[in-house]
Amino acid sequence: SQAKAYRAALLHCLADPREVGIEQSHEYFEDGLLVVEDGKIAQIGNAADLLATLKADTDLVEYPDALITPGFIDTHIHYPQTGMIASYGEQLLDWLETYTFPTERAFADKNHAGEVAELFLNELLRNGTTTALVFGSVHKASVDAFFEACEKRNLRMIAGKVLMDRNAPDYLTDTAESGYADSKALIERWHGKGRLHYAVTPRFAPTSTPEQLALAGQLFKEYPDLYMHTHLSENRKEIEWVRELFPERKGYLDVYDHHGLIGARSVFAHGVHLCDDECQRLGETGSAVAFCPTSNLFLGSGLFDLEKIEGFGVRVGLGTDVGAGTSFSQLQSLNEAYKVMQLQGKKLDPFKSLYLATLGGARALYLDDKIGNLQPGKDADFVVLDYKATPLISYRLSQATSLQEKLFALTILGDDRAVKETYAAGVSVHRKA
Ligand code: GUN
Ligand code: FE
């Protein structure tokens, strides 16, 4: 089929800066060319080298004053919470009771779920996020509505129905058996269909009985390449509550471990208060943690210790955690990630930031053979960042003398306004007005 070529500055990560150093972690083409064919990256390189090799009928699109990067990856977000983002005043457990549960109730209605799913996907794409690991609500229909919306746009997305059979309002609970059966039906319908993947999704340990967690663990093992997605050690009161509910377990992570819910493709949101033994166990099992800075600051949960967790070999992705997170923009997540590090006397290099938002997320999700950078053969999911997004960004970038400086300013000042266009599987899925 017909190829398309995009001429712009190109930047993508090749490896984790902590493994190979900053210089070797990325590849940059000041005047680059990205060639796309059949929804995949066909070639990447210098325009001067590649332009002459293009087939005669190749469409050429030029983006002066722009930087193409891989699409951003959000490793933790709740689509039913779109309408309650920026809700005032509470920390985790009261926030759930006051705002979250009443909001999620409405997702029993599939029409409502479908409308919010469309709005949610528009917002992700406006912000340059092309893949996300997504919580639905407890209702099976919420996940059908979400995947139907994703399928229409040919997006690579991972989602699941919430499992919750205690410590929540009656209108929002399933049972161990119904949760298992509904999840299974959704897996059969959606997992592996196009670019869609299913995640077994117990909300968090306090809202599932041991019976439900055991069935979730069984399900997680029953199908290849399934995900497990939950919350872990976000808030001190939450951790205390888990100790009371599961006195027979060594700690919070051990509740999940005991029920077969850790390992490759297990993704735990937060992990703000993990002890060394828990980090060790997450690392040795190939589990991943989603770092959600805007949420951790908004709910007053605490400061995530990226260096400590990565030191134990744990895979770390970046999450917005909307609606506890305050922005769909991963550039804004990186702005706050930088501040979270600063408050701990640590740095966050902008190339490490880019890694967390792209290839690091792909590795956390075991999708780095498909997404995360612009290597030939990968899905053509990419974003065009606008160096002239706002007068301030334009002026600040004009003062920059290095790529590192430009990238840093974009992660601090940028948001949806910095996203000129977003492509999924080689097709434009958002273009700034
Ligand atoms: N823990 C359990 N449920 C939730 C949720 O919806 N959001 C956050 N941030 N933490 C949780
Ligand atoms: Fe969350």
Side-chain angles (χ1 to χ4, degrees), residues 78 81 92 95-96 203-204 231 234 270 299 321 324:
H78 301 251
Q81 295 177 15
L92 177 63
W95 176 86
L96 284 172
R203 173 163 227 121
F204 66 157
H231 296 91
E234 175 178 7
H270 306 300
L299 291 182
D321 193 27

Side-chain angles (χ1 to χ4, degrees), residues 248-268:
E248 68 283 13
R249 302 272 72 91
K250 273 189 300 187
Y252 198 158
L253 182 65
D254 190 46
V255 174
Y256 296 131
D257 200 348
H258 178 80
H259 294 100
L261 293 168
I262 75 175
R265 296 184 182 77
S266 284
V267 182
F268 297 94

Side-chain angles (χ1 to χ4, degrees), residues 269-284:
H270 306 300
V272 171
H273 305 286
L274 295 170
C275 65
D276 288 2
D277 286 353
E278 290 177 316
C279 293
Q280 172 79 29
R281 187 74 185 132
L282 288 168
E284 75 195 12

Side-chain angles (χ1 to χ4, degrees), residues 16-84:
D16 187 344
R18 68 181 296 279
E19 282 162 16
V20 301
I22 294 293
E23 283 317 306
Q24 301 299 313
S25 73
H26 59 276
E27 185 174 49
Y28 176 61
F29 303 97
E30 175 95 43
D31 178 12
L33 199 73
L34 187 69
V35 186
V36 172
E37 209 169 346
D38 298 324
K40 303 218 188 286
I41 310 283
Q43 287 189 91
I44 180 171
N46 288 310
D49 301 329
L50 293 183
L51 277 173
T53 71
L54 294 179
K55 291 180 212 155
D57 65 343
T58 303
D59 257 356
L60 180 64
V61 180
E62 304 202 354
Y63 293 108
D65 300 314
L67 177 70
I68 290 182
T69 69
F72 300 132
I73 297 172
D74 188 337
T75 56
H76 179 65
I77 188 165
H78 301 251
Y79 102 81
Q81 295 177 15
T82 303
M84 53 159 286

